[in-house]
Amino acid sequence: MLSSHPPLRQRVTSLSGPSRLRPPTSWDDPLNNTSFEQDGQAKHEDAPAFLARLRDVVGTAHVLTDEQRTRRYRAGFRFGFGRAIAVVRPGSLLQQWRIVKLCVEHNRIVIMQAANTGLTGGSTPDGDGYDREVVIISTLRMKRVDLIRDGQQVICLPGATLDQLEQALKPLGREPHSVIGSSCIGASVLGGICNNSGGSLVQRGPAYTEMALYAQLTQTGELQLINHLGVQLGSDAEEILGRLDAGDYRAADITDEARRGSDHGYAQHVRDVEADTPARYNADPGRLFEASGSAGKVILFAVRLDTFPAESQTEVFYVGTNDPQDLNDIRRFLLTAMPTLPISGEYLHRDAFDIADVYGKDTFITIRKLGTARIPKFFAAKAWFDNVCARLPFLPKHSSDRLLQWLSRRFPDHLPARLRTYRQSYEHHLMIKVSAGLIETVRTFMESYFHAREGDFFLCSPQEGVAAFLLRFSAAGAAIRYRAVHHEEVEDIVALDVALRRNDRNWVEQLPQDMEAAFIKKLYYGHFLCHVFHQDYIVKRGTDCLALEHRIWKLLDARGARYPAEHNVGHLYDAPPELKAFYRQLDPCNQFNPGIGRTSKLADWA
């Protein structure tokens, strides 16, 4: 076992810029016919023998090498695309361990991947420039969730999803760290931990744990298993993983070891509205710990997490205003003047309302009618359809998106009348979900506050409350749909998630006029009480998106903002120095997910 991390050896060499290579939309794969020597990757003469050994571990059916069959694993949900010699799908933790050992032995890069729902390409290869062949390990076959401590904590294996965890906890009246949002598209629990992912629930902060079972390489390249799960499973790696695979442990084997399964201090932290720093962002050094924030720089086998009591009686207040200062005042009241925090407070600008209304309608209806549990299958079916269409050159680009958009327009109006009325009247929209004990306090404040002001509020019916939050969470996917349907006019989406300072009253972005001319739409939405915003810029054809994005970054830097706030750096952002140091500490040989945060893709961080 490792008692501490090895010292750093040398400085990180940052690459000159992101590749911005999106998945191809036609049958021709731009990387299909490129040799590894041309890619900058070393060509391995032992490839046939290596692949044969992988098949010996997991079976032939679970080692994918065909370009078309591996494409959906090599393409990011919104960003990123690259080569891989194989996609391997282990069915047990023991198989995962043996696959990683083989990759280390044969000097292959390992990229761990679960649901592949990230927005910054952090769990896929990124273009060229690797000096070794890449193996993607897909963990989706290992989906078990163990409820421990009467459901107050859980142990999740690598393929477990947020929705699966939510459903497992529901009979106990408890919830995971995050609900809806990422759970709608099948995001994994371990992916959230690796990325310190945020969420809409104000009291819980980023996904975080100090209890994990993971493997990492030492300075000399030795693969070691570290059991900080707080479960006594033995001392040998194969024994530990075999017992966990079998669920072979008792309540007496579970210990605490003074480690935390969530960010216990966030609720108090977010209340400090005078602080000159953001409430949460991915590179916050205070939340980088072993697996938490690791972004694939260790090989994660299991995490242990806290769960939370579910609120049985809640109400949603819907606020509309044309004065941003109104939302400032409401935010400060909700965070400082009440004995307990609201459950969530979600912001939606009118332009984002419109795009989500039209281009997120099918997602809205599917979740409303079928629930979140069906959404991952919906996305899998769409990916299969896209793969088939890619083989038929006579079909138009983005066939599935065009078809779904055409179908969605045939459905009746899905939004309640009062939401549409507020859309006509107000530019800024805020949805506040509170527990039963806060309803009268919030209602009294709202009535007093808006007595002589232009804005207004209403207490939602159950149907209106559900619709308001579904509309808000349809916004991100709606931007992607807009790009697909209008691809002839759209160059790309510049998508940022930004953490503003907690004391920043000027939260509405002001851009220079020449920048405004480059956009078709600007979509602002986010977790308002935490001051975390998603900013999607739909950019006109012919615009240099990278240059535009860098200009926006400079403006954000001047405001004291931090980014990314909750989707992690992936291959899109430069990792700040403290995050680069953390990555090098975890992975001194740079064999696991190299290039993350636009760092070196080369062995030993060369």
Side-chain angles (χ1 to χ4, degrees):
M1 300 295 178
L2 292 179
S3 59
S4 62
H5 296 296
L8 303 182
R9 288 192 293 176
Q10 52 188 306
R11 295 183 58 147
V12 176
T13 302
S14 178
L15 300 181
S16 59
S19 69
R20 274 227 171 259
L21 180 62
R22 293 203 315 272
T25 53
S26 67
W27 166 247
D28 293 326
D29 185 330
L31 300 177
N32 266 356
N33 301 312
T34 308
S35 74
F36 283 107
E37 291 100 336
Q38 290 172 320
D39 280 358
Q41 294 183 335
K43 189 177 180 73
H44 290 268
E45 299 300 331
D46 68 338
F50 171 65
L51 293 173
R53 294 188 69 182
L54 295 180
R55 294 183 182 105
D56 288 342
V57 175
V58 299
T60 300
H62 297 296
V63 179
L64 311 180
T65 57
D66 176 76
E67 295 282 358
Q68 288 302 315
R69 294 189 69 195
T70 62
R71 183 181 183 281
R72 71 185 183 94
Y73 300 92
R74 296 184 290 113
F77 181 72
R78 178 183 273 180
F79 172 85
F81 189 74
R83 281 291 302 263
I85 187 177
V87 174
V88 188
R89 304 184 297 191
S92 69
L93 301 178
L94 202 51
Q95 287 184 356
Q96 179 178 316
W97 168 257
R98 290 170 179 169
I99 291 298
V100 174
K101 285 183 67 177
L102 281 173
C103 291
V104 171
E105 178 185 337
H106 288 262
N107 195 29
R108 260 64 178 203
I109 286 169
V110 176
I111 296 178
M112 299 297 298
Q113 183 184 102
N116 192 18
T117 58
L119 301 184
T120 58
S123 58
T124 60
D126 179 57
D128 305 335
Y130 296 98
D131 60 345
R132 296 148 290 171
E133 291 175 333
V134 173
V135 173
I136 298 172
I137 298 180
S138 172
T139 65
L140 290 180
R141 295 177 63 206
M142 299 174 287
K143 300 176 72 73
R144 200 177 80 231
V145 170
D146 292 350
L147 306 180
I148 62 174
R149 300 281 172 87
D150 298 320
Q152 295 184 52
Q153 290 187 325
V154 293
I155 293 174
C156 296
L157 299 197
T161 66
L162 284 169
D163 179 75
Q164 177 190 354
L165 178 55
E166 185 179 350
Q167 299 308 316
L169 291 171
K170 190 173 290 186
L172 304 179
R174 299 189 72 82
E175 291 179 334
H177 162 269
S178 299
V179 295
I180 204 165
S182 296
S183 62
C184 290
I185 55 174
S188 69
V189 177
L190 271 65
I193 292 296
C194 288
N195 294 318
N196 279 146
S197 297
S200 65
L201 303 178
V202 180
Q203 302 175 30
R204 300 180 191 175
Y208 179 81
T209 187
E210 296 171 359
M211 294 181 282
L213 176 64
Y214 62 96
Q216 68 179 160
L217 289 171
T218 66
Q219 195 90 14
T220 57
E222 179 187 358
L223 186 67
Q224 295 191 346
L225 187 71
I226 294 94
N227 182 9
H228 288 164
L229 201 60
V231 182
Q232 297 176 3
L233 296 165
S235 56
D236 175 75
E238 296 225 347
E239 177 191 9
I240 291 169
L241 295 169
R243 287 185 60 187
L244 189 55
D245 269 328
D248 180 19
Y249 61 91
R250 303 165 299 168
D253 296 321
I254 301 171
T255 62
D256 285 325
E257 299 180 354
R259 290 174 175 261
R260 296 179 294 163
S262 62
D263 185 350
H264 295 177
Y266 184 76
Q268 189 61 37
H269 178 75
V270 76
R271 283 182 177 272
D272 186 0
V273 297
E274 300 302 335
D276 199 38
T277 56
R280 54 180 171 90
Y281 59 99
N282 288 128
D284 185 351
R287 298 186 180 96
L288 300 176
F289 186 89
E290 296 180 352
S292 296
S294 60
K297 301 303 288 183
V298 297
I299 304 298
L300 195 51
F301 293 91
V303 296
R304 177 174 159 190
L305 304 169
D306 295 337
T307 69
F308 305 87
E311 298 282 357
S312 57
Q313 292 182 304
T314 64
E315 298 285 356
V316 175
F317 289 86
Y318 197 98
V319 177
T321 182
N322 291 314
D323 185 353
Q325 183 59 43
D326 289 345
L327 299 194
N328 266 337
D329 294 342
I330 293 170
R331 172 177 173 267
R332 285 172 168 260
F333 172 81
L334 294 174
L335 292 179
T336 63
M338 297 197 300
T340 58
L341 290 171
I343 298 168
S344 58
E346 293 296 300
Y347 170 76
L348 191 66
H349 186 270
R350 180 157 52 195
D351 289 344
F353 184 115
D354 291 344
I355 295 294
D357 178 18
V358 176
Y359 296 92
K361 185 176 179 180
D362 55 318
T363 300
F364 181 107
I365 293 172
T366 303
I367 297 173
R368 187 74 176 267
K369 298 296 184 183
L370 302 179
T372 59
R374 306 283 182 89
I375 295 298
K377 293 181 179 179
F378 174 82
F379 276 96
K382 182 179 182 296
W384 174 86
F385 184 80
D386 287 337
N387 202 29
V388 170
C389 291
R391 305 182 186 207
L392 305 173
F394 58 86
L395 289 177
K397 292 182 178 181
H398 310 292
S399 294
S400 65
D401 286 291
R402 288 171 176 266
L403 176 60
L404 289 169
Q405 191 59 31
W406 181 85
L407 289 172
S408 71
R409 292 180 183 275
R410 270 66 192 165
F411 284 96
D413 192 4
H414 57 301
L415 294 183
R418 281 204 288 186
L419 268 64
R420 293 215 175 276
T421 298
Y422 268 52
R423 182 261 167 239
Q424 294 298 326
S425 301
Y426 302 115
E427 180 180 2
H428 304 287
H429 300 245
L430 181 63
M431 296 141 244
I432 306 161
K433 182 182 289 188
V434 300
S435 58
L438 298 180
I439 294 171
E440 288 308 314
T441 301
V442 175
R443 189 206 307 265
T444 300
F445 168 77
M446 293 290 189
E447 288 174 346
S448 173
Y449 185 83
F450 284 115
H451 178 69
R453 300 184 70 85
E454 180 190 354
D456 206 351
F457 80 99
F458 65 89
L459 188 61
C460 294
S461 68
Q463 294 77 16
E464 289 171 329
V466 170
F469 276 89
L470 279 182
L471 180 68
R472 152 65 187 91
F473 288 114
S474 298
I480 298 172
R481 171 67 55 76
Y482 185 99
R483 180 180 67 186
V485 173
H486 301 280
H487 66 92
E488 294 179 351
E489 300 138 40
V490 177
E491 182 68 28
D492 203 349
I493 299 170
V494 172
L496 303 176
D497 58 298
V498 178
L500 300 183
R501 294 173 291 116
R502 282 169 282 173
N503 65 354
D504 192 345
R505 293 176 178 269
N506 299 315
W507 57 273
V508 177
E509 184 174 59
Q510 301 293 327
L511 296 175
Q513 192 57 43
D514 67 312
M515 291 182 69
E516 293 281 3
F519 302 124
I520 297 172
K521 292 286 186 182
K522 297 180 303 176
L523 311 182
Y524 297 97
Y525 52 96
H527 315 303
F528 190 73
L529 300 188
C530 298
H531 250 197
V532 168
F533 293 86
H534 302 288
Q535 302 178 181
D536 292 349
Y537 307 87
I538 302 176
V539 182
K540 292 179 181 178
R541 174 68 70 182
T543 304
D544 185 340
C545 290
L546 188 57
L548 191 64
E549 184 169 3
H550 285 177
R551 286 189 65 188
I552 297 172
W553 289 357
K554 290 181 179 179
L555 295 173
L556 292 171
D557 292 340
R559 297 172 65 189
R562 298 299 298 260
Y563 51 90
E566 58 184 13
H567 291 150
N568 218 319
V569 291
H571 290 286
L572 190 57
Y573 300 91
D574 281 306
E578 60 271 24
L579 190 56
K580 290 179 182 179
F582 180 62
Y583 290 161
R584 291 194 59 172
Q585 191 178 33
L586 294 179
D587 183 19
C589 299
N590 203 26
Q591 190 151 1
F592 302 147
N593 208 13
I596 197 78
R598 294 172 58 196
T599 57
S600 172
K601 295 179 179 178
L602 306 181
D604 299 315
W605 300 90

